[in-house]
Amino acid sequence: MILSQTPPEIPAPEPVAAPVWDLTVGLINATVQLDQAQGDGTRTVGTGFLIQAPRPDGSSRVVLVTAAHVFDRMPAGEARIGWRIAQDDGDWKFDPQPLRIRDRDSAPLWYQVEGRDVAVMEVVAPEAFARAAIPLAWLADTDSFEAWQVGPGDELLSLGFPRGLSANRAGFPILRVGRVASWPLSPVAAFPTFLLDFTVFPGNSGGPVFWTPTARRRPGAVEPTHPFIAGLLTQEVKIKDEQLDIGIVTHARFIRDAITLLDND
């Protein structure tokens, strides 16, 4: 005999939360093009990225990070910052806006640690960019490389706008990958920069250099507890006019130091 009965209700599965941070996509969204038109019809281009660095009183603050020489090579008081706006149909609009980088007396509005090619300044960012800004805690500090056994041959990723080129018309940065090409990497006081094996072009300067679990590491190395920003690209290596396809990265510890100057002002 067959008994007819209503099948028991099966509860719907709990929704699975997306990862809180995918640093690659997060940094793509937090990275912007910086540029300034020059009088000869050319423009100076660099890369910057946004950090969520609360003020000492705990209030929210978005800080723009770039290489100091990017701003040094922009003599006018106003540059442009390449915001992007998501459209309702899924498209994106590139929407660069003015960015004041010097006051009326031509004094810099950015902060820089003496002797380090790192510049930071507070910016008022559109809401989407303020949300995308990377937490301050994800900047490597003085001891991070030793704790996470960062060493030669490890892969690191970088974002930028080589020769002013973006990944698409929406103005997103281009993702590159390279390998740590120097040793030792610590102590930071003795080795404030390190080398990265990848091709660098004008426009890459100021871009973030970072690690995520997608990047390859040496067998047996300690797995970091979270993705991290190792530093920012500040220079390419050349011998006379020959490009060696090596970038110089300034350690993220000096971004932290520059933000401290901003705090103490």
Side-chain angles (χ1 to χ4, degrees), residues 31 46-49 65-67 158-160 203-209 231-234 249:
T31 299
T47 302
F49 58 100
V65 180
T66 189
S158 185
L159 290 161
N204 283 126
S205 291
V209 175
L232 74 160
L233 190 69
T234 49
V249 181

Side-chain angles (χ1 to χ4, degrees), residues 160-161 165-175:
F161 299 92
L165 182 67
S166 56
N168 43 48
R169 61 183 177 79
F172 282 94
I174 294 173
L175 179 68

